[in-house]
Amino acid sequence: MAGLENLSERDRAVLRSIFDPTATIGDVVDEGDKFQEDESEPSTPAYKESKSLSLRGMQLAEAGKLEEALDLMNKAVEATPERAAAYNDRAQLLRLMLKDSEAMSDLERALQLTEGKRTRARALALCQRGVLLRKRGSDEDARTSFTEAAKLGSSFAKKQVVEMNPYAALCNQMLSQIMKGESEIKL
């Protein structure tokens, strides 16, 4: 088809979403997270230590040293028990370790600490909770978590809300069938 080389990336994404009934525009164009308000953590020595411990823990986790990583993540939480991001980080590691109940406890604590705030830490905790709830088969509760995270600016959560919407999936499938039918007619 002539002229396709002049399409914008977004236009190409729309076309891909039409021909793939399971895709959404968000799957192919990630505009990134957009948080209206982000937490500005204090620059106290304890917060700096907690951030450093979390970062080192993440590096160990990426290297496959999960128990060592957990030890550092525990120390990060102990250094600043009021820092929601430390609980988020540890919850992610716990999920990797298949310790979902412990991860959920950390996420609930992160959500308590961010209650009423429009922060990245809250959005991340809601996304992780949504993933765990979906894994448990609690789709309605997961959708609620993802919806709140999407309102806070999480692009991942927005994709999950669309993916979990049965009407959107059905519409994508029907549109794909119509487009395929039209192309078959033209041949």
Side-chain angles (χ1 to χ4, degrees):
M1 288 180 11
L4 283 181
E5 64 277 354
N6 296 328
L7 291 177
S8 71
E9 187 56 37
R10 183 158 183 82
D11 291 339
R12 290 176 196 273
V14 169
L15 286 174
R16 282 191 300 266
S17 72
I18 289 171
F19 292 105
D20 180 356
T22 63
T24 66
I25 293 173
D27 289 336
V28 287
V29 174
D30 185 1
E31 296 176 0
D33 291 334
K34 295 180 177 124
F35 299 104
Q36 293 177 2
E37 173 190 316
D38 209 349
E39 66 266 35
S40 54
E41 292 184 339
S43 58
T44 64
Y47 271 79
K48 288 179 183 178
E49 178 187 5
S50 179
K51 281 182 168 182
S52 175
L53 289 165
S54 288
L55 179 62
R56 290 193 341 243
M58 286 183 237
Q59 291 167 340
L60 285 170
E62 288 172 2
K65 299 177 181 180
L66 301 183
E67 290 299 329
E68 292 175 49
L70 183 57
D71 184 50
L72 289 180
M73 294 292 188
N74 288 338
K75 290 177 182 174
V77 168
E78 289 169 15
T80 55
E82 70 284 355
R83 184 173 166 256
Y87 291 96
N88 271 332
D89 293 340
R90 186 170 68 181
Q92 187 168 0
L93 175 62
L94 290 167
R95 285 180 41 225
L96 285 173
M97 298 173 81
L98 303 176
K99 297 181 178 186
D100 292 351
S101 294
E102 292 174 51
M104 189 64 87
S105 293
D106 273 1
L107 295 172
E108 293 303 327
R109 181 64 184 137
L111 291 170
Q112 288 172 351
L113 291 169
T114 58
E115 184 70 36
K117 298 178 183 175
R118 299 184 53 81
T119 62
R120 181 175 186 273
R122 183 166 186 79
L124 291 175
L126 287 163
C127 285
Q128 287 198 79
R129 181 171 73 176
V131 168
L132 286 174
L133 289 168
R134 269 191 99 176
K135 185 177 177 182
R136 291 180 179 173
S138 301
D139 286 353
E140 194 55 42
D141 292 332
R143 187 182 354 261
T144 300
S145 290
F146 288 132
T147 300
E148 184 181 343
K151 289 177 183 176
L152 295 175
S154 169
S155 61
F156 172 79
K158 289 175 188 174
K159 291 175 194 175
Q160 295 303 305
V161 170
V162 171
E163 182 181 306
M164 293 181 76
N165 180 341
Y167 299 111
L170 182 61
C171 287
N172 277 348
Q173 184 178 21
M174 289 171 56
L175 184 57
S176 176
Q177 288 173 352
I178 290 170
M179 295 301 288
K180 286 177 184 175
E182 286 181 9
S183 66
E184 290 173 7
I185 293 169
K186 290 180 182 177
L187 295 175

